[in-house]
Amino acid sequence: MDVKTAIELIESGRFEEIDIDDLWELIDILSASSDPRAFQALTMLQNSKIGHSLPQINRQMQYHIEQNMLQIEKLEKKFNLFETNAQGMPIQQDLLPIFNFFSRVEVDNKETAEKVDGKKLFAQAAEIAKITAKKDLCTNKNFSKLKPEEQQKSYINSVVMAMEETAFVLVSNQLIEDNLQKRQENSVNAPKEASKNIIRLSKEEEKQITQLAEIRFAEMINPKSVAKFKLSNDNILSTLTAELNRAAQKEVQIEKHTQAKALTAPIKEADKNLSKEYPKTFEMLRAFAAYPDLSFVAGNSGRHLFSANKIAETVHKYNPAKGQQEKTLFVFLKEQPQKLKSFSRHIVSSIKKTYQHIKEAISLNFSSEKIANSFKKMFSSVKEKGEYKEIGTKTIEGNLRIMSATASRLLQAQEEADPNKKVIAWKNFRSSFYNSQLGRAMALDPEKTQLVTEDVKEYITVTPIVINKKTSAGKNNPAPKGKILSSIIGLKSEKVK
């Protein structure tokens, strides 16, 4: 949810109907914004009926969250959802569709990230899915009141649903990566003038992405399909981290509003396991949990994290099987092709928007490995020493919040019809990024980011203005040649003889 959506939700009065965790998100977004309308919206919320009763609701939610987590812990001790038979197949039938998908994944280990072992991928996705399920179930006021068999069914459905949503993000994120790589390869030999026009997707390319996405999604959910899915290690690590980052943000939100530490232990365990497997990649990507809209600046890995997070938001928001406990997402979509078509349209729209933003960032040199390496050094230094080049942790966090806020406004400008607003948003982002203490410490000045050409003649039209000059006899004579006045320096008056 962005600030604009949050403000509109308050102004419409519909905020009284939303779930409590969505209400927390609404409050956090409005509180962090410098927009005067956000302050007004927050005041309106606080003065509303639900605003007055929020302290009491939060205390009740603390109790529900703690009870729900106790029930989930009992469930996990009672049975192993991922138990397999002698052939290595899951005993739990609900797992078969997603197990089938991961069995068809081929890992493309590139040099840009640490290697991913395809044999461990299903287990790693499962570990993060269990955290996601707990994130979704812990705020359900009715979960602890269900019968044991109903709790188990709800838990299984939530875990499998989380894994299947991740599968959609993985496949979608790969489409962006493949298209970016293709465009970058084509642009290497393109003339300088043509390189300015490689940002936007053509209608034909948009059509190709839509068709390919629909084909791949249909292959994902088809239990009889033998189609393979080639996924890069960059994509896999970024997608798994994006989901864990979302859970970490939810943990912060829950503790802030209820003081309950529901997800602390499982997130720490996942951090420990993934950091051991992928220490370099994971250290930087996890640090962007609080600043997902800013991550696109951090080179290849950061761009993958950014796109995975944006697509995941769409997948979670428009999941047509969400809320029902009878069928998992793959089964639901297989039985209702029209729902798949609608779901695909939303995801493809997100793919196009995300691709467009990343491509602009690359073209304008706002996303580079130099910036990524600076972030790596910074996060590593903060973790080990508590400072970065004589800049304290609080200063770094403050700078990152400001940069992230301008990055979020930049994304909002994408939706505006006026192209000038996007140019202004890019300029504001550059200013907040490069002029911050953190930006200066990262030595970003040599980065040649520019939104307009440096040659003034290319974007300023010089208009000749002829001023008639009176003679002593009262006749008009034209001004001498060379007296051209530019809008850059203004008009100069001459004395009348």
Side-chain angles (χ1 to χ4, degrees):
M1 187 188 303
D2 56 33
V3 176
K4 183 180 177 182
T5 304
I7 293 172
E8 289 173 351
L9 192 59
I10 296 295
E11 291 176 345
S12 70
R14 292 181 291 113
F15 64 91
E16 305 232 6
E17 305 167 6
I18 64 177
D19 295 334
I20 184 62
D21 47 348
D22 292 327
L23 188 61
W24 291 336
E25 182 183 0
L26 195 63
I27 293 170
D28 292 345
I29 289 171
L30 294 174
S31 300
S33 175
S34 58
D35 189 331
R37 290 180 61 210
F39 177 76
Q40 294 173 357
L42 183 62
T43 302
M44 187 184 300
L45 189 155
Q46 291 170 337
N47 292 332
S48 67
K49 182 179 179 181
I50 194 168
H52 288 303
S53 58
L54 196 57
Q56 178 63 26
I57 294 173
N58 288 343
R59 284 193 291 272
Q60 293 172 348
M61 283 308 303
Q62 179 183 10
Y63 172 78
H64 288 304
I65 290 167
E66 291 170 350
Q67 291 300 308
N68 288 341
M69 292 305 294
L70 284 174
Q71 295 302 317
I72 291 171
E73 287 173 10
K74 288 180 181 178
L75 274 172
E76 291 183 331
K77 290 178 181 178
K78 180 181 175 183
F79 84 109
N80 178 13
L81 172 58
F82 296 95
E83 185 179 355
T84 58
N85 58 24
Q87 289 74 41
M89 297 289 289
I91 293 175
Q92 181 59 241
Q93 294 296 303
D94 289 332
L95 275 172
L96 290 177
I98 190 61
F99 181 83
N100 177 271
F101 166 77
F102 276 103
S103 68
R104 291 182 283 149
V105 168
E106 295 179 345
V107 180
D108 179 16
N109 278 309
K110 299 183 177 180
E111 295 181 0
T112 47
E114 290 155 303
K115 288 186 177 180
V116 172
D117 186 346
K119 295 178 181 178
K120 296 180 180 179
L121 181 56
F122 182 78
Q124 289 168 347
E127 181 178 15
I128 294 175
K130 287 195 287 186
I131 297 173
T132 302
K134 290 172 184 175
K135 175 196 76 173
D136 294 336
L137 291 173
C138 71
T139 54
N140 185 335
K141 291 187 288 186
N142 298 318
F143 180 76
S144 63
K145 302 173 186 177
L146 298 174
K147 296 177 181 178
E149 59 272 19
E150 292 175 334
Q151 287 181 349
Q152 182 169 312
K153 177 63 178 174
S154 182
Y155 173 77
I156 292 171
N157 184 278
S158 295
V159 173
V160 175
M161 191 85 76
M163 293 188 75
E164 292 176 339
E165 286 183 340
T166 297
F168 273 98
V169 179
L170 283 167
V171 172
S172 301
N173 209 18
Q174 194 63 46
L175 289 174
I176 291 180
E177 179 181 345
D178 292 345
N179 206 282
L180 274 173
Q181 184 175 346
K182 179 181 176 183
R183 292 292 286 263
Q184 286 175 322
E185 289 172 355
N186 292 341
S187 68
V188 170
N189 300 318
K192 187 176 180 181
E193 295 76 16
S195 66
K196 296 178 182 179
N197 301 320
I198 65 172
I199 294 177
R200 194 167 295 279
L201 285 166
S202 67
K203 292 294 182 182
E204 183 60 31
E205 286 171 321
E206 288 188 0
K207 184 179 178 181
Q208 289 174 359
I209 288 177
T210 300
Q211 291 174 340
L212 183 56
E214 290 178 350
I215 291 170
R216 300 302 271 163
F217 294 160
E219 290 170 340
M220 284 171 57
I221 67 173
N222 186 354
K224 295 181 181 180
S225 176
V226 294
K228 299 293 183 181
F229 294 88
K230 192 173 184 179
L231 306 176
S232 74
N233 50 339
D234 259 321
N235 174 16
I236 292 168
L237 293 178
S238 298
T239 297
L240 294 182
T241 308
E243 194 58 40
L244 189 56
N245 281 355
R246 290 169 66 83
Q249 281 297 89
K250 186 63 173 284
E251 177 203 17
V252 171
Q253 185 186 77
I254 288 172
E255 187 172 352
K256 176 182 176 181
H257 293 278
T258 70
Q259 284 73 57
K261 297 184 178 182
L263 303 173
T264 304
I267 288 176
K268 279 186 177 180
E269 185 65 22
D271 278 339
K272 178 182 174 183
N273 295 337
L274 288 171
S275 294
K276 186 177 179 180
E277 289 281 341
Y278 318 106
K280 294 180 181 178
T281 306
F282 197 67
E283 181 178 58
M284 185 184 74
L285 296 184
R286 276 292 280 119
F288 276 107
Y291 319 102
D293 285 351
L294 180 63
S295 59
F296 70 88
V297 300
N300 194 55
S301 296
R303 293 194 294 268
H304 282 83
L305 181 69
F306 174 85
S307 57
N309 184 68
K310 287 301 171 188
I311 294 168
E313 286 179 359
T314 299
V315 170
H316 295 322
K317 181 178 180 180
Y318 293 102
N319 178 351
K322 203 172 184 178
Q324 58 85 38
Q325 301 297 329
E326 299 305 315
K327 296 172 184 175
T328 58
L329 179 59
F330 280 15
V331 173
F332 182 87
L333 293 175
K334 185 71 175 69
E335 293 178 357
Q336 300 195 43
Q338 287 304 315
K339 295 290 185 181
L340 175 60
K341 198 168 185 65
S342 174
F343 190 40
S344 298
R345 279 199 298 269
H346 287 297
I347 298 175
V348 168
S349 176
S350 179
I351 290 173
K352 292 174 183 177
K353 288 179 182 178
T354 304
Y355 174 89
Q356 174 66 20
H357 184 74
I358 292 175
K359 194 67 190 74
E360 286 181 351
I362 294 172
S363 298
L364 298 170
N365 291 325
F366 280 104
S367 181
S368 71
E369 293 310 311
K370 177 178 179 179
I371 296 176
N373 290 332
S374 294
F375 271 114
K376 286 177 184 177
K377 290 177 184 177
M378 179 191 70
F379 290 140
S380 179
S381 181
V382 168
K383 186 177 180 181
E384 294 174 8
K385 302 176 184 177
E387 60 180 24
Y388 178 67
K389 293 184 180 179
E390 299 181 357
I391 297 179
T393 303
K394 288 186 178 180
T395 300
I396 290 175
E397 290 176 349
N399 283 185
L400 287 172
R401 278 197 296 271
I402 293 170
M403 293 177 198
S404 185
T406 54
S408 298
R409 288 194 288 273
L410 178 57
L411 291 170
Q412 292 171 30
Q414 270 192 330
E415 308 298 323
E416 299 287 346
D418 184 357
N420 292 326
K421 290 186 177 180
K422 188 157 62 171
V423 173
I424 292 169
W426 273 115
K427 287 184 176 180
N428 289 339
F429 174 70
R430 185 194 192 284
S431 178
S432 69
F433 192 10
Y434 281 29
N435 295 335
S436 67
Q437 285 180 276
L438 181 56
R440 292 195 297 271
M442 292 166 73
L444 299 178
D445 289 339
E447 287 288 328
K448 192 178 179 183
T449 56
Q450 59 182 65
L451 301 175
V452 292
T453 174
E454 291 178 343
D455 187 350
V456 175
K457 293 178 183 178
E458 291 188 23
Y459 64 93
I460 295 293
T461 302
V462 178
T463 307
I465 302 176
V466 178
I467 300 179
N468 291 335
K469 188 166 75 172
K470 288 185 179 181
T471 65
S472 57
K475 294 180 180 180
N476 290 336
N477 289 330
K481 289 182 180 179
K483 294 283 186 178
I484 297 174
L485 306 176
S486 168
S487 58
I488 302 175
I489 59 175
L491 294 174
K492 291 181 180 178
S493 62
E494 289 196 35
K495 292 182 181 179
V496 179
K497 290 183 180 180

